Amino acid sequence: MKNAEFLGIDIGASGVKGAIVDVRAGVLVTERFRIPTPQPSTPKNVATAFNEIVRYFGWEGKTIGCGFPSVIKNGLAQTAANIDDEWLGINIAETFSEYCGCPVVVSNDADIAGIAELQFGVGKNVNGTVLIITIGSGLGSALFRDGILVPNTELGHIYLKGDYNIAEHYAADSARKKQNLSWEEWGARFNEYLHHIELIIAPDLIILGGGGSKKFDKFKDQIIIKTPVIPAVLLNNAGIIGAAIHAFNKEKMVGSASKTIG
Ligand code: BGC
């Protein structure tokens, strides 16, 4: 295990994915290892899956970074839209750490993917207001101003009057699958969503991440808002890379603190 290599784990509604990442280059140095998210996705079940990934890579000692689909404050899960309600109020990092025996740092999955895209992807050196929207079972968001993250934005949860209630029920990839929409139909919905976001946030750039970003060619013609919209170059590896960067930053902080103290 080299100094710049960290294990990143991305927890999603349908899969728990991990890989070892070279955080200086922003690239995976192993294949991704994915296991389906256990159902029900309770803390016990997800922590068991997390530990399975840790064991698969034979990871020991060094901090593990993780992206998790929830608003997280002071380490505690505040929302559970696409995971089991049992997570509410639970300390996520501590739970994973108990199961795997390594220190763990956790942040919102979209925020983490955004950090990777800004550091190594299409958001590199882009100033102004940059918004990352991840398309998957949910719609995740990460908002940056001049490279600084405003954490825990939940723009996929914007209220929609009528049957759908929140935007992600109308325009996430899960809505496309559930309602059997063609890419054209879904793309038109997603464009409507982005149009609304454009009105309320006025971003300079929108980057699309998550599994849905791999299919950008299938719906790009439907995206006709004024703001430039581009797919993430790291695609759905951004979550794993960002998680590993998070772990690296944490170890750097601990290292510099101990230097100051000791
Ligand atoms: C969750 C977000 C998450 C997004 C993508 C949403 O349902 O509320 O916290 O970032 O899904 O996983």
Side-chain angles (χ1 to χ4, degrees):
M1 192 196 302
K2 300 199 187 113
N3 280 347
E5 291 182 1
F6 282 84
L7 177 59
I9 299 186
D10 184 17
I11 314 267
S14 58
V16 179
K17 297 142 275 181
I20 297 177
V21 176
D22 178 334
V23 294
R24 296 205 193 270
V27 293
L28 269 51
V29 295
T30 62
E31 293 284 306
R32 272 156 55 110
F33 177 57
R34 178 188 192 276
I35 43 186
T37 304
Q39 297 303 331
S41 52
T42 53
K44 181 172 174 282
N45 289 347
V46 178
T48 304
F50 185 97
N51 187 39
E52 206 180 316
I53 298 211
V54 177
R55 297 277 83 82
Y56 175 85
F57 288 107
W59 193 261
E60 278 172 6
K62 233 158 79 166
T63 303
I64 299 166
C66 173
F68 191 85
S70 169
V71 171
I72 303 168
K73 284 209 156 180
N74 302 318
L76 310 183
Q78 308 289 316
T79 60
N82 284 309
I83 40 154
D84 197 274
D85 280 353
E86 261 190 42
W87 278 103
L88 292 171
I90 295 283
N91 189 310
I92 309 160
E94 273 178 24
T95 305
F96 291 150
S97 194
E98 270 164 31
Y99 274 71
C100 72
C102 298
V104 178
V105 279
V106 179
S107 281
N108 172 267
D109 56 348
D111 285 349
I112 288 261
I115 286 169
E117 272 303 321
L118 258 71
Q119 199 162 328
F120 293 108
V122 284
K124 198 173 168 180
N125 301 325
V126 181
N127 277 331
T129 304
V130 177
L131 179 66
I132 283 89
I133 301 281
T134 62
I135 309 166
S137 306
L139 285 178
S141 61
L143 180 65
F144 294 85
R145 177 72 191 171
D146 294 341
I148 310 279
L149 174 72
V150 181
N152 287 318
T153 56
E154 285 282 329
L155 298 179
H157 285 246
I158 278 183
Y159 175 60
L160 280 195
K161 191 165 176 274
D163 293 345
Y164 294 99
N165 193 32
I166 56 171
E168 74 178 15
H169 293 163
Y170 181 65
D173 202 35
S174 49
R176 180 185 65 79
K177 289 179 181 155
K178 240 183 251 159
Q179 294 176 48
N180 222 355
L181 302 174
S182 68
W183 281 106
E184 261 181 22
E185 287 166 322
W186 178 83
R189 275 190 185 194
F190 190 64
N191 184 64
E192 250 181 278
Y193 168 66
L194 290 184
H195 181 62
H196 184 58
I197 293 293
E198 178 179 56
L199 286 175
I200 56 177
I201 305 281
D204 298 300
L205 174 67
I206 297 177
I207 301 173
L208 302 181
S213 62
K214 286 191 291 190
K215 301 288 165 57
F216 187 60
D217 275 352
K218 295 189 189 285
F219 64 87
K220 66 174 195 291
D221 292 345
Q222 274 68 50
I223 307 301
I224 48 173
I225 63 169
K226 286 192 203 122
T227 312
V229 178
I230 48 177
V233 283
L234 305 175
L235 301 170
N236 57 344
N237 281 338
I240 294 175
I241 296 173
I245 294 172
H246 199 24
F248 171 62
N249 289 338
K250 177 68 186 216
E251 292 240 330
K252 256 196 329 203
M253 269 168 54
V254 172
S256 55
S258 60
K259 266 183 221 141
T260 332
I261 297 161

